[in-house]
Amino acid sequence: MAATPAREWTGLQQFPVATQTALHNILGTLRQQNKESLTVLVVGKGGVGKSSTVNSIVGERVTIVSAFQSETLRPLQCARSRAGFTLNIIDTPGLVEGGCINDQALDIIKRFLLSKTIDVVLYVDRLDGYRVDNLDRQVIRGLARSFGPNFWRLAVIVLTHAQFSPSDGVNYTEFVEKRSAALQAAIRQEAGLKKDEKEVPYALVENSGRCNTNDGGEKILPNGTVWLPALVERIVEVATGTTDSVFVDKKLIDGPNANEWGKWWIPVLAVAQYFLVVMPIRKAIEKDLAEEKNQRPQWEIRAEEFRRNTSLYDDDQVDEQAISQALEQDDGLSGQPSSFVDEDDDDDEF
Amino acid sequence: MNCGMFQSVEMDGVTNLDGSLKMQISFTESQWQPADSFRCVNVGLLSQSKGPEGDEKMTDQQREELAKSQEEEYKNRLRQARPCMLPKSVEREISSWLRGETRVTARMLQRIRDRVQKWYHDEGYACAQVVNFGNLNTNEVVCEVVEGDITKLQIQFQDKMGFPSVGRTQEVIIKRELPDQLKAGNIFNIEAGKKALRNVNALALFSNIEVNPRPDEDNDGGIVVEVKLKELEQKTAEVSTEWSIVPGNNGRPVLSTIQPAGSVTFEHRNLQGLNRSILGVVTSNNLFNPQDDLGFKAEYVHPCVDGVNNPRNRTFRASCFNSRKLSAVFTGGPGVEDVPSVWVDRAGFKANLTECFTRQSKFTYGLVLEEVTTRDETSSICVHGARTLPSGALTSDGPPTTHSDTGIDRVAFLQANLTHDNTQFVNGTPIGDRHIFQVDQGLGIGSKNPIFNRHQLTVTKFIQLQPEDKLDPEKPPLVGVIHGRYGGCLGDLASYDAFTLGGPYSVRGYTMGELGAARNFLEMALELRVPVKKTHAYCFAEYGTDLGSSKDVRGNPTEFFRRAGKGASYGVGVKLGSIRTEYARDCNTDTGAIFVRFGERF
């Protein structure tokens, strides 16, 4: 977690004059947009040349680089200012250890970046690699998940060891295109970039002292381009581009708190559960009960009919008894009228 | 002569040459005028009709008067008799017999009697009897039947020897369970008796139950239904065990991987005669190391909460529990061995009401108060999960184990479970549907005020693909099983409550939690059960996924322990009794193993 305070960018004076002029112009565009500082994060697998690239950009030996020794163990921020403009470059430890992604390194990086804003990301990998494998994808995915979707929109692919002649007589330009396309496709897929977004830009870098130079003393690539200004140009393009910088706050580090998400919907959910799940299941249970009633065995149906008939029968019996009682009373009371009727009959007969 | 079936009987004895006596019995059957219709009446509970009284010294006129008065009496009797249950179809059948004959003979009457009684006995009316035939010299033959009316229901308790004793159980509890068709005023049917046996047996209060009809001495033709009960011991203790074999390191079962599970139960039942009980249970899923997975529960059960006379069947249960389980959230995926284990201790109290709609479908709702403590192997409280780094060091900055980040969480929540189950056993295998919905609603009471809604919906359909073999009731039919389970949580989710994927009841072929821990998940399974001799063999395919919600569990334990998050498996197996032996192939690592398990998967 070492961070050297902003010092004068003395390294600039080491570059050849042409390079200095180019860099001045490019950085001028930043000042036109009132950007007084730029934070660049350099990430990648171990041993690809991140620290070397940082040294190359700054122009001095900021980080210790050794070909065979285990590399940077902690993130290192290097700040250099020139004419009111400050460049912050953050070098990080490699993200791969022992064949799988190093979560600890990712954690350390996250904690280092707390309360800092990332303007540009340099994703460093070697040009002389032929495959983009699962490990690379895991790294890309891990970074996307840790820092959010905008992380990869701020990225520039940096391909180191660019002074490389591909074998099998493949054309240099063709090789560069294929290699960068493979990485761009992997980033697009793993970071979830949409189809209509433009591809991640790439830059070629050769950090070793053996790098060829042109007449002006500038370091050039096999295809003749001067790589340092080109790299800085890519960086400035992203910095002045449409994507917003990523501010790393606690929330970003801890991840979205899934516990809080949607809490206000809980009452709505409870009501929805009642109507959409509980009611249909209750209806199904009632349907079962009704079906059970319909499929009753014969003896139960008959018993119910029997009870009904018997109760009707009993009612009939009660009615009959009441009627017979009433008739008896009538007979007792109205002995006269019956004889009266008889007389009438006699009259009729007559 | 007196039975009324014969008009005259003559016996001739003829001596034989060898000294034996040959008896010749010649008879003339009673005969009556031909009839063309038949009617049946229920004369149960009526006094017996008196036979014709013939006095030798009566004049013709007196005999005629007697006959007329007897006819009147008989007509009265018929009017008092109740309609019987014999269907019109049988009456018509018998009428057609009568029409086919020129006269009504005693033999014909016997045929009619057998036919009528056969119908009653086939339908389960075991006490029905034909007692008399009337109206014999008229156009219509009347058959008098005593169907077996129930006049009284008696409940009789017996002690162990079978002698009558006084029972502890209150009669209301037993009478609730008896079907209406056994009450006084109904005709006794043997099926009603069987139903009564099943219902009373379900109370689990008696060791022996008998439902017997016997004739009522006080009422002619009446039946008294006697229910004889032998009560179970009020205080019992029981030990039960089961074991399963899980695959060892190379996929083959080894002695150390045989895990016996067991439980010891103490019960004090039928308090106050109202089927209330108190029980205490101690269970362990691994008797070799009981401290690994030990649970204890003390429960009070109070049935008939709405009152004994209310037909609504609600039971109240209150219990305190204390259990200790190895957390499946903090386990490693394939290739990550020796993950330090995290034990989740849950202690608390819960009270709920269960309402039974059918024997299998029910609705339970209640309140749970619990204290959850997460401990590591040394039984000290641990706040974070841990794992070993590739460098060999142990990191303890893993996912937080509790919601309050202190290792101890206290939480109160409402819990409800609705089960709809209409599965029935067809030739020994279940057919039907089962839907289970369970929801835990946090109330904001507890450590760090957790508010959440955890829900799970399980749908299982057992579909019969072939009609069952009616001739061999032990041969199960071809069955297809479709099973799906969805779970989700909105709000605060502690890692010990996260849903784990993988396991014998989740995705077969993986160990518990091997696929990950998630906030939402979806599991699906398909199984085809093919009948093989008296049992069935099956093939299955299962799949489980976390729907991308692994990262929504605090600390992302799925990623931390390098678990896949989703996986599928398929395999075959055979069921022998209650043991399932299956071979399951894990699609993530493409390896297979043999498992032996108890019980049903679904």
Side-chain angles (χ1 to χ4, degrees), chain B residues 499-503 506-507 510-518 520-523 544-546 565-566:
Chain B
F499 298 107
T500 56
L501 278 170
S506 167
V507 186
Y510 298 90
T511 54
M512 269 211 77
E514 191 181 324
L515 287 177
N520 308 323
F521 76 96
L522 180 66
E523 277 166 18
T545 172
D546 65 352
K566 57 178 187 249

Side-chain angles (χ1 to χ4, degrees), chain B residues 186-208:
Chain B
N186 284 297
I187 309 289
F188 177 77
N189 190 312
I190 200 92
E191 296 294 325
K194 285 191 201 161
K195 194 168 170 191
L197 266 177
R198 281 199 299 268
N199 290 358
V200 176
N201 205 14
L203 284 175
L205 288 171
F206 309 106
S207 60
N208 191 24

Side-chain angles (χ1 to χ4, degrees), chain A residues 206-279:
Chain A
E206 178 51 65
N207 294 314
S208 81
R210 290 181 289 108
C211 190
N212 293 334
T213 49
N214 64 4
D215 297 331
E218 298 172 292
K219 292 188 172 171
I220 54 168
L221 300 169
N223 61 7
T225 43
V226 186
W227 60 262
L228 186 53
L231 171 64
V232 180
E233 208 177 310
R234 292 282 101 68
I235 292 177
V236 169
E237 264 172 29
V238 171
T240 54
T242 47
T243 316
D244 293 331
S245 306
V246 173
F247 176 63
V248 180
D249 55 1
K250 192 108 182 39
K251 209 168 136 208
L252 196 69
I253 290 184
D254 287 341
N257 193 350
N259 279 353
E260 295 301 318
W261 184 89
K263 250 191 187 169
W264 300 110
W265 290 93
I266 291 183
V268 180
L269 181 67
V271 172
Q273 280 168 352
Y274 180 72
F275 283 109
L276 295 177
V277 181
V278 173
M279 296 301 292

Side-chain angles (χ1 to χ4, degrees), chain A residues 95-163:
Chain A
L95 288 172
V96 165
E97 173 155 338
C100 49
I101 189 169
N102 188 347
D103 289 308
Q104 245 196 342
L106 202 53
D107 253 353
I108 293 177
I109 297 172
K110 273 198 275 191
R111 256 172 270 164
F112 182 80
L113 289 174
L114 188 58
S115 307
K116 294 189 172 60
T117 314
I118 305 174
D119 297 310
V120 182
V121 173
L122 294 184
Y123 178 69
V124 185
D125 204 347
R126 294 177 67 115
L127 176 66
D128 54 351
Y130 287 85
R131 294 223 189 291
V132 174
D133 59 9
N134 220 11
L135 202 54
D136 295 309
R137 289 178 199 279
Q138 269 186 21
V139 170
I140 298 170
R141 210 182 311 143
L143 286 167
R145 228 185 273 159
S146 296
F147 293 102
N150 269 347
F151 184 81
W152 284 104
R153 296 195 178 100
L154 295 171
V156 176
I157 302 175
V158 173
L159 295 167
T160 56
H161 298 86
Q163 182 161 291

Side-chain angles (χ1 to χ4, degrees), chain A residues 100-101 103-104 107 111 145 257-263 265-266 269-270 273 277-278 281-282 284-285 288-289 292 298-300 302-303 306-307 310 313 317, chain B residues 79-82 85 123 125 181 185-187 189 191-192 195 357-358 387 418-420 422 437 439 441 451-453 455 490-493 519 552 554 559 562:
Chain A
C100 49
I101 189 169
D103 289 308
Q104 245 196 342
D107 253 353
R111 256 172 270 164
R145 228 185 273 159
N257 193 350
N259 279 353
E260 295 301 318
W261 184 89
K263 250 191 187 169
W265 290 93
I266 291 183
L269 181 67
Q273 280 168 352
V277 181
V278 173
I281 296 186
R282 287 291 292 264
I285 295 181
D288 275 352
L289 284 171
E292 231 181 76
Q298 261 310 85
W299 62 270
E300 278 189 40
R302 223 177 276 126
F306 177 78
R307 248 203 314 275
T310 322
Y313 182 79
Q317 289 286 63
Chain B
R79 232 177 293 139
Q80 281 181 4
R82 285 168 292 154
M85 279 197 284
E123 294 296 319
Y125 302 100
Q181 295 88 5
N186 284 297
I187 309 289
N189 190 312
E191 296 294 325
K195 194 168 170 191
F357 304 113
T358 73
R387 72 167 168 192
L418 179 61
T419 304
H420 166 237
N422 64 10
F437 175 65
V439 61
Q441 175 68 49
I451 300 184
F452 53 86
N453 181 309
H455 43 271
L490 200 59
D492 295 315
L493 179 69
R519 184 178 276 262
D552 295 328
R554 268 181 76 206
E559 177 99 8
R562 305 225 195 295

